[in-house]
Amino acid sequence: IDVKKSVAVPPVSIQKEIYRIATAARKKSAQIYRHKGQIISRKSTEQSFVWHQINRGGKLGYQINRKHPLIQAMLSESNKNEIKQLLELIEETIPVPAIISDYSDHSDELLQPYEGKDMVDYDKAIEKLYNAYLLSGASPAKALEIIAGTEPFIYSPEKIELFCEKKGIKK
């Protein structure tokens, strides 16, 4: 520890062990952050997140989950080739360095999904999924259970309740 007590340098003999422990802690922290909200959705057995971490050529990146219910619904429509191209463009140009920088410098200032947006946008997304599940043969309760386990809805179960109230849907 220096005289000002502002810098601490551990002994060389334990630096590798400290680095190993810190790396493991960062990985666990990142995994928990990426999947925040899993506990919120208690009813759902499966969860569907929008983004997947990928490894391409030994480097990490992110890819949009093509099995996410909203993405699947869009890809089943007539303009699926254009949508696939759009998704690939988004994936290839996601500004990961800027996101990391913003998160580390302003983590308390980052928007949560649908924060500050009109509830109508959120309801439209829920309704699209709900109707798609009903058309595929799911019961209303099962459709709502699946939606509750789907990102971004896992973060705000109370908004699903509001949607049900507005539409007169009984669980």
Side-chain angles (χ1 to χ4, degrees):
I1 298 182
D2 71 351
V3 177
K4 295 181 193 176
K5 295 185 170 113
S6 63
V7 176
V9 180
V12 174
S13 61
I14 64 168
Q15 284 181 357
K16 282 186 179 180
E17 185 65 12
I18 290 173
Y19 182 79
R20 184 191 64 75
I21 292 168
T23 301
R26 281 192 305 272
K27 282 183 182 178
K28 182 71 175 171
S29 173
Q31 182 182 23
I32 289 169
Y33 181 77
R34 256 192 310 279
H35 299 293
K36 67 182 181 178
Q38 284 185 340
I39 294 171
I40 293 173
S41 178
R42 293 182 183 97
K43 296 179 188 172
S44 181
T45 54
E46 285 189 39
Q47 296 177 333
S48 185
F49 294 94
V50 176
W51 292 94
H52 284 292
Q53 187 181 67
I54 60 166
N55 186 321
R56 189 186 319 146
K59 294 187 177 186
L60 293 178
Y62 295 89
Q63 187 174 51
I64 296 172
N65 177 9
R66 302 301 195 271
K67 293 183 180 179
H68 184 282
L70 280 175
I71 305 298
Q72 275 188 330
M74 292 179 69
L75 290 173
S76 68
E77 294 174 5
S78 62
N79 55 349
K80 73 179 185 180
N81 286 334
E82 290 86 0
I83 292 172
K84 282 182 179 180
Q85 288 176 331
L86 176 62
L87 295 178
E88 287 179 20
L89 177 67
I90 292 167
E91 292 166 346
E92 294 300 324
T93 60
I94 184 169
V96 174
I99 293 169
I100 292 169
S101 174
D102 290 344
Y103 183 75
S104 65
D105 295 343
H106 309 283
S107 63
D108 57 332
E109 298 171 20
L110 295 178
L111 288 171
Q112 295 301 312
Y114 287 90
E115 182 180 341
K117 285 194 151 192
D118 193 67
M119 188 65 185
V120 172
D121 296 328
Y122 200 84
D123 285 347
K124 283 180 185 176
I126 293 174
E127 189 167 17
K128 183 171 182 83
L129 275 179
Y130 182 73
N131 290 334
Y133 286 126
L134 292 180
L135 286 172
S136 70
S139 69
K142 183 65 177 173
L144 292 168
E145 179 184 328
I146 296 168
I147 293 167
T150 303
E151 192 174 34
F153 312 113
I154 57 177
Y155 307 124
S156 303
E158 71 282 356
K159 290 182 179 175
I160 295 173
E161 296 290 333
L162 284 172
F163 170 80
C164 291
E165 285 177 24
K166 288 178 192 173
K167 299 292 183 178
I169 299 168
K170 295 182 182 185
K171 289 183 155 187

